[in-house]
Amino acid sequence: QPQSKVHQTRAPKPSAQEVDLRRIALPRAAGVLRPAEILEGAGWSRRAAVVRDLARLVRHESLWPWPTLRPCHRVAADVELKLIERLLDLDMACLIAEDRIPMAPDGTKLRGGWFAVEHTRGRQRLFFDRRPQNATEEPLSEWIDLPAGCQLCFQHLDPQETLRASGDDLECFFYTLRHEDNWVSHNAVGRKVSGRSFQRYGAKPGQDYRVCLKVVAMGDQNGVAIAQA
């Protein structure tokens, strides 16, 4: 019998990749839109009230997962410091004292992580793994009424008919939407940092901080709902 050949296949790229500062897509200007103001102007006063006080979505602690979920954080420590500087320069994030970050009953600070996925033209999308915080909050599922892609299977066309559709991707759209200041501490991400390293941003030596996003993130379970509204 001929010997069987071993077929080597290329391992697929992991969906969650290390963040590469040279490739990540970031907005030219972050947080330029305030969802609450837009919703109020469109007559959605109830939704505007929710966005202005997202703390109303936080579940009772008895409904939080135990132990606290651990986020995916794929950024090297030295790269993370440079990433934080870029986010602060873009006004995408701010530094909040460690003792002001919400804490889970098991003593864990509620903080997410960064990872990247492949984007167009060789770039990376920067994702915020916000599962630890998402698990403590109610989803705004009633705000979304979007068709599923599989519904296209129910389209019936005659032989002479054609169905054509087009779409585009609003680049870094989520990061153009600014959160209210009272919600920023719920968006802590990454490692604890020393104030000594960020004195030019107003941090104090001897104080520990967490970087917190001031904008709606890709990875926030309610990000799509807010953005769609």
Side-chain angles (χ1 to χ4, degrees):
Q1 295 291 332
Q3 294 182 350
S4 60
K5 296 182 179 180
V6 177
H7 297 280
Q8 295 183 349
T9 58
R10 182 177 299 175
K13 291 183 178 180
S15 55
Q17 301 177 5
E18 289 284 333
V19 173
D20 183 345
L21 283 180
R22 299 167 300 178
R23 300 175 56 207
I24 57 171
L26 294 174
R28 295 186 182 91
V32 295
L33 303 174
R34 290 191 174 272
E37 294 179 1
I38 296 171
L39 291 169
E40 191 75 56
W44 292 90
S45 57
R46 290 187 179 180
R47 292 187 177 186
V50 172
V51 173
R52 288 196 174 100
D53 183 21
L54 287 172
R56 67 175 67 186
L57 301 180
V58 177
R59 298 181 174 123
H60 189 273
E61 289 184 358
S62 62
L63 300 176
W64 293 10
W66 184 278
T68 303
L69 298 179
R70 184 176 179 179
C72 172
H73 190 54
R74 303 203 60 181
V75 189
D78 58 331
V79 174
E80 185 169 6
L81 294 177
K82 296 177 182 178
L83 173 62
I84 291 172
E85 289 183 351
R86 286 184 63 177
L87 298 180
L88 294 176
D89 289 339
L90 284 169
D91 198 28
M92 243 178 99
C94 63
L95 295 171
I96 292 185
E98 172 79 356
D99 57 7
R100 291 180 53 199
I101 303 302
M103 182 182 295
D106 60 4
T108 304
K109 294 292 184 180
L110 287 177
R111 54 97 184 173
W114 289 121
F115 67 89
V117 299
E118 285 295 327
H119 192 20
T120 57
R121 298 187 294 276
R123 295 180 300 167
Q124 291 180 330
R125 285 189 187 275
L126 182 64
F127 271 84
F128 179 16
D129 182 4
R130 198 176 177 275
R131 287 176 299 170
Q133 294 99 316
N134 288 343
T136 70
E137 302 161 13
E138 295 291 340
L140 293 171
S141 53
E142 71 278 6
W143 284 24
I144 305 177
D145 186 18
L146 302 176
C150 62
Q151 288 180 280
L152 292 174
C153 298
F154 297 101
Q155 293 282 342
H156 294 275
L157 303 177
D158 289 331
Q160 74 278 9
E161 294 180 322
T162 300
L163 176 67
R164 182 171 64 182
S166 62
D168 201 357
D169 185 14
L170 297 175
E171 186 171 355
C172 300
F173 177 54
F174 285 86
Y175 295 146
T176 66
L177 306 177
R178 182 173 295 274
H179 273 304
E180 300 297 313
D181 292 343
N182 58 17
W183 189 244
V184 174
S185 64
H186 293 262
N187 287 314
V189 54
R191 299 176 177 91
K192 180 171 57 179
V193 297
S194 169
R196 182 179 299 277
S197 302
F198 296 94
Q199 293 183 66
R200 72 185 182 96
Y201 297 98
K204 299 178 181 179
Q207 173 71 60
D208 290 330
Y209 293 86
R210 297 277 180 174
V211 63
C212 296
L213 275 191
K214 300 169 69 173
V215 295
V216 177
M218 288 184 288
D220 187 331
Q221 70 172 344
N222 288 318
V224 173
I226 294 172
Q228 186 68 22

